[in-house]
Amino acid sequence: MSYIVRRLLYMIPTILGVALLVFFLFSVAGEDPVRIALGSHASPEAIAALEAKWGLDRPLHMQFLGFLGQIVTFDYGESFISGEPLSDMFAEGAVVSLSLTLPPFVIGQVLFVSLSILIAYYRDSWLDRFATAGTVMTMSVSYLVYIIAFQYILAYQLELFPIRGYASGLEGLQYLVLPSLIILVVSIGPNVRIYRTVFLDEMNADYVRTARAKGVGEAGVLFKHVLKNAMIPILTYTVVAIPFLILGSFLMERYFSLPGVGDLLISAINNGDFPVLKGLTMYIAIAYSVFNLLTDIAYAYVDPRVQLN
Amino acid sequence: MSEYQSESLGQRALRQLLKKKFVVFCFAIIALYLFIAFLGVIGLLPDYQERVAAPYQPPSLGFATLLGTDIFGRSVLYKILAGTQTAMTIGFLVTAISVPVGVALGALSGFYGGKVDAFIVWLYTVIVSVPYILMVIAISYVLGKGLVAICIAMGALGWVGLCRLTRGEFLKHRDREYVMASRLLGASDMRIIFIHILPNVIHLAIITASLRILGAIKSEVILTYLGVGIQDGSSWGTMISDASGELVQGIWWPLTGVAAAMFVIIYALNVAGDALRDALDPKLLD
């Protein structure tokens, strides 16, 4: 318990660092939001009025203090462009992003573990060699090439899915299948490659030799002993990826015009929409810190050898 | 046994690498791409902006039209060659920035511990808490977009993984007998770090470098699609971005050509990286 409290306290300097980075990077990066909102021929009075309204006329350190206040209260204000409260934008975007990334993530974990166990079981056979060569090959194709090829074949030629776009509610689901499928396909190679190494490492461990010596069959060794132990490193890879599921995928959302968090962020950079940029980034950074802590706690929970201190 | 003992780690690694013909072949491919990039640097590559035939001609015999032409009648092959120069420049520039930074910060962090370590760990925890692509885009904006901007942005963020690895190794090494012995002999900190410990961990930098190059080449395509990459036509990213509209018109050759060129170098770098890891540090996971 005292460990958790201490870790939560450690999060403060991290969050402060992210706030500093995000604030200064996005204050100088991106376009000038006032100029975008009013056009380049606006009168100086109109510019000054809008800057005052958005609080951009305050000195930078005062703006930063205001931003810290927003972080503490979890209220990041409204978007410069749409005037929507940020919490609403984040909630709406997160639903789209999670619908996009969660299915391939869940299906993926089951698929990666099954495939890697199979490959590890038949290690050094033609299947293993084929799979190893295959993973490297699939990892060598550009993400964007996958997107273009899948969209062209499955959506354009076979007309199985809409080409791109989005609709809210259940109707939106049909637009999400193709991008989700691409995310799943692209993630098979790198993950199976890592999981295979994890399983092979465990198979060379001493406890496997002990189990074999006392007469446990190969399947029993794999599912009773190796799988349980391999879950520890796999858990680590898995949990840290979860906060980035909320982020969705910059490329996928941009390409298929899906209004997820990634798409909101890219639009915000192009429009100089500071509240959106700062707010969404802070949401993600805090989620990332919390999930990192959860990983360590889960780690100690599944592996009694790990001590939290 | 004695002949093996007389071999250094580097010699043994080299012998292992040369034993596999396919690995040697992949290194030759990397060398070929580097040679093309070098030709571009000294201005010997054909001008990709020159009109060589009618627009959108499918591949035909003849050097310039071997892979067909694009919307302006420019040679797809020449564009791919010019893109090779860009890709290799990005790969090596990003690596040249991120690898030394990663090694230096990891070494300082692991060797000194205490406040230095706390600061460096804080720094990379902050960096990994913000989505990578978002940071690269933001930094590229600050630096005015384009080739050098995205290289600096990727380089400034790409050191974290190697820094962690190096830090861990330095933590292990700093209390070993050989370090204590050289300290007793009066060696300075810098001498211990660079002359004594660094050779024991430098293989991590070599392995990471091969992966960093291909990571940077792949990222360039994504960044260009998202609008902060190379602004003129001499990059694979621009070519692939353009291809999605061309494909539905039945124009398949620009995408096929550039995807193949990119696949070959990424595949060769992947195989080379794996081989380097197997030869230098088989226990290391991705």
Side-chain angles (χ1 to χ4, degrees):
Chain A
M1 195 57 215
S2 69
Y3 169 79
I4 297 175
V5 173
R6 206 171 53 236
R7 279 291 300 268
L8 284 173
L9 288 177
Y10 273 136
M11 271 168 57
I12 296 175
T14 307
I15 299 297
L16 212 61
V18 173
L20 231 111
L21 180 71
V22 163
F23 181 83
F24 285 101
L25 199 53
F26 293 138
S27 296
V28 269
E31 306 294 329
D32 180 4
V34 176
R35 209 187 46 109
I36 287 187
L38 300 176
S40 38
H41 303 295
S43 68
E45 294 82 32
I47 291 176
L50 195 59
E51 276 185 346
K53 184 184 161 209
W54 284 345
L56 294 174
D57 55 341
R58 292 176 297 168
L60 268 186
H61 64 273
M62 289 310 290
Q63 289 186 38
F64 183 66
L65 284 179
F67 178 44
L68 289 184
Q70 292 180 326
I71 294 170
V72 175
T73 55
F74 270 100
D75 176 11
Y76 296 97
E78 287 116 36
S79 159
F80 284 170
I81 307 297
S82 66
E84 232 186 310
L86 220 111
S87 44
D88 290 2
M89 285 182 84
F90 180 69
E92 284 164 26
V95 169
V96 178
S97 287
L98 281 175
S99 324
L100 173 72
T101 52
L102 202 57
F105 181 73
V106 175
I107 299 170
Q109 292 309 317
V110 180
L111 188 71
F112 307 152
V113 170
S114 328
L115 278 176
S116 339
I117 289 190
L118 190 73
I119 294 165
Y121 184 78
Y122 291 108
R123 59 193 169 278
D124 297 327
S125 70
W126 63 269
L127 179 79
D128 186 18
R129 277 192 291 276
F130 175 77
T132 311
T135 49
V136 181
M137 284 203 183
T138 54
M139 284 164 63
S140 304
V141 178
S142 167
Y143 209 151
L144 197 56
V145 172
Y146 275 108
I147 297 180
I148 294 173
F150 270 66
Q151 187 197 38
Y152 178 68
I153 296 168
L154 296 179
Y156 180 75
Q157 287 202 314
L158 300 177
E159 297 179 7
L160 294 175
F161 309 103
I163 301 262
R164 71 176 64 186
Y166 188 71
S168 54
L170 282 179
E171 216 186 311
L173 283 183
Q174 54 169 329
Y175 293 100
L176 292 170
V177 185
L178 179 61
S180 292
L181 181 72
I182 299 174
I183 293 180
L184 180 65
V185 170
V186 172
S187 60
I188 292 176
N191 283 293
V192 167
R193 196 173 123 98
I194 294 179
Y195 286 16
R196 171 185 171 273
T197 322
V198 168
F199 280 111
L200 285 181
D201 271 357
E202 294 295 332
M203 281 173 154
N204 293 325
D206 289 338
Y207 69 85
V208 171
R209 203 181 318 126
T210 314
R212 285 215 183 94
K214 68 173 192 187
V216 180
E218 191 67 9
V221 167
L222 259 183
F223 290 101
K224 278 220 185 94
H225 298 278
V226 170
L227 184 58
K228 266 190 195 161
N229 280 284
M231 284 328 280
I232 297 165
I234 288 177
L235 196 72
T236 324
Y237 291 122
T238 311
V239 182
V240 283
I242 291 176
F244 290 117
L245 295 179
I246 307 169
L247 174 67
S249 158
F250 289 111
L251 187 59
M252 211 53 91
E253 289 174 9
R254 214 56 198 163
Y255 194 89
F256 287 100
S257 324
L258 304 169
V261 178
D263 185 61
L264 286 174
L265 279 168
I266 302 280
S267 310
I269 283 204
N270 292 332
N271 295 331
D273 200 346
F274 298 147
V276 176
L277 275 175
K278 290 188 283 201
L280 294 187
T281 315
M282 288 316 294
Y283 274 117
I284 292 163
I286 291 170
Y288 181 76
S289 303
V290 171
F291 271 92
N292 253 331
L293 174 60
L294 289 179
T295 317
D296 290 348
I297 296 171
Y299 213 71
Y301 183 74
V302 294
D303 187 352
R305 287 170 300 184
V306 175
Q307 298 249 312
L308 296 177
N309 49 39
Chain B
M1 199 58 202
S2 60
E3 59 178 308
Y4 287 94
Q5 278 170 345
S6 64
E7 233 178 4
S8 73
L9 177 74
Q11 283 168 326
R12 200 191 62 199
L14 192 65
R15 191 170 49 84
Q16 270 190 17
L17 286 177
L18 291 177
K19 217 165 51 188
K20 294 183 193 129
K21 288 214 172 59
F22 189 62
V23 173
V24 176
F25 177 67
C26 286
F27 275 105
I29 287 178
I30 299 170
L32 173 69
Y33 275 67
L34 278 174
F35 178 67
I36 294 172
F38 174 71
L39 286 183
V41 172
I42 57 173
L44 284 182
L45 282 183
D47 179 14
Y48 73 93
Q49 288 186 315
E50 196 187 342
R51 204 185 143 95
V52 294
Y56 284 142
Q57 288 300 303
S60 58
L61 282 179
F63 187 63
T65 55
L66 197 62
L67 296 174
T69 58
D70 73 352
I71 186 169
F72 302 118
R74 299 179 299 188
S75 163
V76 172
L77 178 65
Y78 291 175
K79 278 170 82 180
I80 290 176
L81 291 176
T84 304
Q85 185 195 338
T86 312
M88 297 313 268
T89 310
I90 291 173
F92 279 87
L93 215 55
V94 171
T95 309
I97 299 170
S98 60
V99 167
V101 172
V103 170
L105 291 182
L108 291 176
S109 184
F111 186 78
Y112 287 109
K115 281 198 180 117
V116 180
D117 184 42
F119 175 73
I120 292 171
V121 172
W122 171 79
L123 193 64
Y124 70 60
T125 314
V126 167
I127 289 181
V128 294
S129 304
V130 183
Y132 175 76
I133 296 276
L134 187 67
M135 289 260 281
V136 175
I137 294 176
I139 298 175
S140 310
Y141 255 107
V142 177
L143 300 174
K145 301 189 186 178
L147 177 75
V148 178
I150 63 169
C151 285
I152 295 175
M154 286 197 273
L157 302 170
W159 53 269
V160 173
L162 181 59
C163 175
R164 277 182 172 157
L165 285 174
T166 313
R167 174 177 174 268
E169 288 300 306
F170 266 81
L171 274 173
K172 266 196 278 176
H173 278 272
R174 68 170 182 195
D175 295 325
R176 294 240 169 113
E177 281 92 347
Y178 77 92
V179 174
M180 272 186 247
S182 44
R183 186 165 304 170
L184 278 176
L185 288 170
S188 66
D189 283 357
M190 283 303 130
R191 192 178 163 82
I192 294 175
I193 291 177
F194 288 107
I195 310 284
H196 294 293
I197 305 184
L198 198 61
N200 291 311
V201 302
I202 200 70
H203 61 282
L204 295 173
I206 298 172
I207 298 165
T208 308
S210 67
L211 298 174
R212 184 65 62 236
I213 297 172
L214 75 91
I217 296 174
K218 283 168 94 174
S219 299
E220 184 269 325
V221 175
I222 293 174
L223 290 168
T224 300
Y225 182 77
L226 293 176
V228 288
I230 318 305
Q231 305 294 310
D232 58 32
S234 66
S235 102
W236 293 345
T238 323
M239 292 182 73
I240 298 179
S241 299
D242 292 343
S244 64
E246 294 170 343
L247 210 52
V248 292
Q249 306 168 45
I251 294 148
W252 50 270
W253 49 92
L255 179 66
T256 314
V258 68
M262 199 173 152
F263 174 80
V264 169
I265 184 65
I266 301 285
Y267 185 74
L269 282 165
N270 261 321
V271 172
D274 280 357
L276 281 172
R277 189 187 52 199
D278 288 345
L280 293 168
D281 190 355
K283 290 277 317 158
L284 194 70
L285 220 63
D286 282 26

